[in-house]
Amino acid sequence: MCGIVGYIGARDAYPILIKGLKRLEYRGYDSAGLALVTNSDQLAVYKTKGKVADLEHYVLDKDITGSMGIAHTRWATHGEPSDANAHPHYSQSGHLALIHNGIIENYPVLKENLVQNGYTFRSNTDTEVLVQLIEYIMFTHGIDLFHAVQLSLTQVVGAYAIAVIERNNPNAIVAARKSSPLVIGIGEGEYFLGSDASPIIEYTKKVVYVNDDEVVCLRRDREPQFYNLNRVEKSHRIIELEMTLSQLEKGGYPHFMLKEIFEQPHTIRECMRGRVNVEHNSITLSGIIDNRERFLKARRIIIVACGTSWHAGLIGKYLIESFARVPVEVEYASEFRYRNPVLYDDDIVVAISQSGETADTLAAVELARSRNVFVYGVCNVVGSSIPRRTHSGSYTHAGPEIGVASTKAFTAQVTVLALMALCMARERKTLPQPEFEHLVAGLAAIPAKMEETLQVSDFIKKFSCIFTYAHNFIYLGRGYNFPVALEGALKLKEISYIHAEGYPAAEMKHGPIALIDQEMPVVVVAPNNKSMYEKVVSNIHEIKARKGRVVAIITRGDTVIKEMADYFIEIPPAEECFVPLLAVIPLQLMAYHIAIVKDRNVDQPRNLAKSVTVE
Ligand code: F6R
């Protein structure tokens, strides 16, 4: 939520800031702004409601000179999207400008004190209090900006990644972090900052991930300085990024979401690279091998996650329980963190998160840690907060996911969970060897089957336009494919704004069947797998008897459901437990094509943001 970017060096800051904002726009897009110390030594603050493109338009006739600046793209929390609430916020004297990602929880108290000391406020945001507080402390204590930021933050309760600049000092940006991500890019005589590395990668691969409660001073003429809030200097570790610029571009696709759907065969291969060896029938997941004893003795696994990652967690439960015979609970991180859960020393908490920054999942990790429970992370963004707070984990290696609706991250999460389940089964000796080998080969075959599955895109594009009339959809699945139904419904909701519900197919009779009539499209995930097939056929009969319109995801070669369904999409045969990795693809494509026909902004759907760093 909210993206921040900053630059100080010898180049013009404006193009770097605007490009950076475009890369971070997935984090929020209801208003945007920037502040520059211009060549005529003015502190210029430009901001507007709307997208980064609106900001570019707004500054057309403005002074955008200067080689130092900060910029922000917002996802509103306190205060509606408006020009006044857009960042940067500037101080009463007009000398300081500040951008912020996060939430200041005690802002009413701080604001009240400042008002009593003669400060007036221009916005309804929690953020503005920070810039006024820093200025107030600078003036009353007679100290410099760096020191004033440190002192101010000792009074602040909440989450923040901030950057502040000062009109009278065009040689320094001061930035700080607590619970919101902040990355510093180290160039040759120039420095960058960003909410993630995407605005930085074009200029340098050397980055430092700022730790909680650290304040950083970036000056043109010297090394960056990192301090904690008690003014103790901290050492910092420079990391070489593995990300490439092409991963952040659309590569010929009209949207990031479509590109990311089509990347899935590649991302799953990357996810399995070095971990799956079919010749030797082995699965090596270092996070599990390194913690073998814990996984051998685990009494229970508790998966915590939100949204799509929670759906992946549900599939993980089926996989781990079935292969490794360990009981698994799957919890919404937001519920887990607030309900005083019963946790045992020999539990393992698995936190799943694409961004690695989701506030509720991070808080769930902290809760588990505080109860001395071993926490394992399944995250995509390398160096993000959750992997840095877990005891061990496995990255999903899906590469940057920029479309706000998660696609390739989901299948990579399911793949890592399948690897965990197999690796645990191996260590715990819960699967007969032939079955284990069969499953390893089955998983290794999935990327090629994904390639086949993606060939249905044009067909889905053609029939999707038929359904744009619909105001509601039902998605049904059983067993491993129940979470796929949930995920299909979520994808449709978030990018087409059509109401959709996912259910276990058998639950339909307990209520949702009342909704079915000739207007209601029902998407049934109905692969030809032994354990559930007959039951799903019965469910389809029940829908057809009530004139519902069935779109069935079937296994290639199935003739029975083909006859019954109004529309069918074929996927290649696969082991039942790995079908979700294929069955979800047509559902992602359906959501995408329906949203396109409805002229929605698929990469940046309304009200959403990629990284939910607020509760
Ligand atoms: C849906 C989607 C969200 C995220 C959720 C968790 O397409 O993207 O539901 O899955 O906000 O995000 P992460 O995985 O970053 O913790």
Side-chain angles (χ1 to χ4, degrees):
M1 319 239 115
C2 300
I4 68 172
V5 54
Y7 174 75
I8 182 164
R11 312 183 208 207
D12 280 345
Y14 174 78
I16 295 170
L17 297 177
I18 283 290
K19 216 181 227 186
L21 284 186
K22 287 185 179 162
R23 296 245 157 83
L24 291 174
E25 210 168 14
Y26 71 88
R27 299 177 66 89
Y29 31 83
D30 61 45
S31 54
L34 58 89
L36 297 158
V37 177
T38 66
N39 291 347
S40 51
D41 293 332
Q42 296 305 308
L43 180 61
V45 177
Y46 307 123
K47 50 189 192 166
T48 181
K49 184 178 166 185
K51 301 206 166 206
V52 178
D54 297 302
L55 178 65
E56 278 181 293
H57 190 255
Y58 177 76
V59 302
L60 279 177
D61 57 349
K62 309 278 192 302
D63 179 0
I64 50 165
T65 60
S67 54
M68 175 181 91
I70 53 177
H72 186 272
T73 178
R74 181 168 186 249
W75 187 88
T77 52
H78 290 83
E80 57 175 17
S82 68
D83 294 353
N85 289 339
H87 300 213
H89 291 283
Y90 46 99
S91 60
Q92 181 130 305
S93 72
H95 280 256
L96 302 181
L98 174 145
I99 52 176
H100 167 223
N101 167 30
I103 287 190
I104 306 305
E105 288 169 19
N106 63 337
Y107 84 97
V109 182
L110 297 171
K111 187 169 176 176
E112 181 59 36
N113 283 341
L114 288 161
V115 168
Q116 278 172 13
N117 283 292
Y119 275 79
T120 51
F121 286 76
R122 304 177 188 94
S123 76
N124 301 321
T125 64
D126 54 331
T127 300
E128 194 183 352
V129 82
L130 277 179
V131 71
Q132 309 290 21
L133 178 65
I134 293 166
E135 177 171 285
Y136 175 67
I137 287 184
M138 273 178 91
F139 287 171
T140 51
H141 290 65
I143 52 179
D144 67 12
L145 178 64
F146 191 23
H147 190 182
V149 170
Q150 292 166 35
L151 212 53
S152 306
L153 292 177
T154 59
Q155 298 186 23
V156 167
V157 178
Y160 50 78
I162 59 167
V164 201
I165 58 173
E166 189 182 2
R167 177 179 152 183
N168 295 340
N169 184 3
N171 289 315
I173 300 180
V174 178
R177 163 199 163 130
K178 180 172 192 174
S179 304
S180 291
L182 181 62
V183 188
I184 305 296
I186 314 284
E188 294 291 326
E190 58 183 358
Y191 300 105
F192 306 81
L193 65 87
S195 295
D196 64 30
S198 63
I200 298 172
I201 185 78
E202 189 167 344
Y203 312 101
T204 177
K205 290 206 158 195
K206 292 198 178 103
V207 297
V208 177
Y209 290 96
V210 180
N211 292 314
D212 273 351
D213 295 317
E214 279 181 359
V215 185
V216 190
C217 191
L218 304 174
R219 296 191 187 88
R220 263 178 239 282
D221 49 357
R222 53 193 281 194
E223 294 281 296
Q225 284 180 292
F226 293 72
Y227 278 78
N228 68 14
L229 299 186
N230 299 322
R231 307 209 68 210
V232 177
E233 187 154 13
K234 308 287 289 181
S235 59
H236 57 275
R237 198 158 67 93
I238 298 179
I239 290 171
E240 193 85 10
L241 287 172
E242 283 179 13
M243 187 192 286
T244 62
L245 195 56
S246 65
Q247 288 177 308
L248 303 173
E249 285 163 356
K250 287 189 193 147
Y253 286 89
H255 298 97
F256 282 110
M257 183 179 174
L258 192 62
K259 175 183 177 228
E260 288 157 7
I261 292 172
F262 273 83
E263 273 175 353
Q264 290 176 104
H266 171 71
T267 53
I268 300 309
R269 283 190 182 104
E270 282 300 297
C271 180
M272 291 198 283
R273 191 152 59 91
R275 293 168 167 173
V276 178
N277 187 326
V278 183
E279 269 172 40
H280 295 98
N281 290 307
S282 70
I283 301 277
T284 315
L285 212 52
S286 54
I288 300 231
I289 309 288
D290 294 349
N291 297 286
R292 187 170 178 272
E293 286 305 307
R294 284 186 187 278
F295 280 93
L296 275 179
K297 294 198 182 114
R299 171 197 300 232
R300 184 173 62 150
I301 288 179
I302 302 166
I303 295 179
V304 290
C306 304
T308 287
S309 299
W310 185 80
H311 296 158
L314 285 180
I315 300 174
K317 169 184 170 76
Y318 288 48
L319 290 162
I320 295 169
E321 289 191 343
S322 162
F323 298 175
R325 310 304 299 151
V326 184
V328 181
E329 291 169 19
V330 188
E331 296 246 13
Y332 286 116
S334 54
E335 292 296 315
F336 177 84
R337 66 178 285 197
Y338 283 121
R339 68 164 184 80
N340 194 13
V342 177
L343 292 170
Y344 302 104
D345 289 353
D346 47 2
D347 282 339
I348 294 176
V349 165
V350 175
I352 308 177
S353 174
Q354 186 288 128
S355 62
E357 299 293 349
T358 299
D360 284 322
T361 312
L362 186 55
V365 168
E366 296 300 346
L367 171 65
R369 284 182 70 106
S370 72
R371 305 277 188 86
N372 295 322
V373 173
F374 180 77
V375 187
Y376 196 90
V378 176
C379 296
N380 192 38
V381 178
V382 176
S384 54
S385 300
I386 293 172
R388 291 191 313 144
R389 292 299 295 155
T390 48
H391 297 104
S392 183
S394 304
Y395 280 115
T396 49
H397 298 304
E401 189 180 64
I402 294 169
V404 164
S406 190
T407 52
K408 64 175 181 172
F410 172 76
T411 44
Q413 288 165 344
V414 173
T415 304
V416 166
L417 291 162
L419 295 174
M420 285 177 70
L422 285 168
C423 201
M424 285 170 67
R426 185 69 183 248
E427 298 301 322
R428 296 168 66 93
K429 302 192 179 14
T430 45
L431 278 179
Q433 185 63 14
E435 194 178 336
F436 179 82
E437 290 178 11
H438 177 73
L439 289 169
V440 172
L443 186 58
I446 288 294
K449 293 182 183 186
M450 283 179 150
E451 273 156 8
E452 281 180 59
T453 308
L454 283 163
Q455 289 169 13
V456 298
S457 184
D458 286 341
F459 170 68
I460 293 178
K461 183 177 177 179
K462 276 187 210 130
F463 90 75
S464 289
C465 56
I466 300 166
F467 288 110
T468 49
Y469 74 87
H471 295 294
N472 299 288
F473 266 71
I474 292 181
Y475 286 70
L476 301 176
R478 297 183 83 115
Y480 284 102
N481 292 307
F482 156 52
V484 176
L486 295 180
E487 177 59 7
L490 179 63
K491 288 288 90 83
L492 187 73
K493 274 187 273 215
E494 57 183 344
I495 60 167
S496 72
Y497 318 148
I498 296 174
H499 173 243
E501 295 295 337
Y503 284 100
E507 270 296 302
M508 194 182 57
K509 288 191 273 301
H510 301 284
I513 199 163
L515 295 169
I516 292 178
D517 60 17
Q518 65 278 11
E519 305 271 284
M520 177 68 88
V522 184
V523 181
V524 189
V525 186
N528 187 0
N529 293 114
K530 273 173 267 149
S531 65
M532 298 287 178
Y533 184 71
E534 299 303 333
K535 310 245 180 265
V536 175
V537 169
S538 305
N539 296 139
I540 295 177
H541 276 299
E542 290 154 12
I543 301 161
K544 291 306 299 172
R546 286 152 186 91
K547 301 195 165 46
R549 302 182 69 190
V550 171
V551 179
I553 313 299
I554 60 171
T555 308
R556 197 173 48 224
D558 180 332
T559 48
V560 177
I561 299 181
K562 215 179 208 175
E563 286 298 309
M564 299 163 66
D566 296 84
Y567 303 93
F568 63 87
I569 302 163
E570 293 182 316
I571 57 173
E575 286 61 35
E576 183 169 3
C577 53
F578 302 136
V579 167
L581 292 166
L582 305 177
V584 76
I585 291 176
L587 305 191
Q588 295 168 342
L589 286 166
M590 240 178 94
Y592 172 81
H593 288 300
I594 291 176
I596 293 295
V597 179
K598 291 182 86 73
D599 203 22
R600 307 298 194 213
N601 185 342
V602 291
D603 281 340
Q604 293 173 352
R606 70 184 180 203
N607 304 339
L608 294 176
K610 186 79 186 152
S611 184
V612 185
T613 52
V614 294
E615 314 181 19

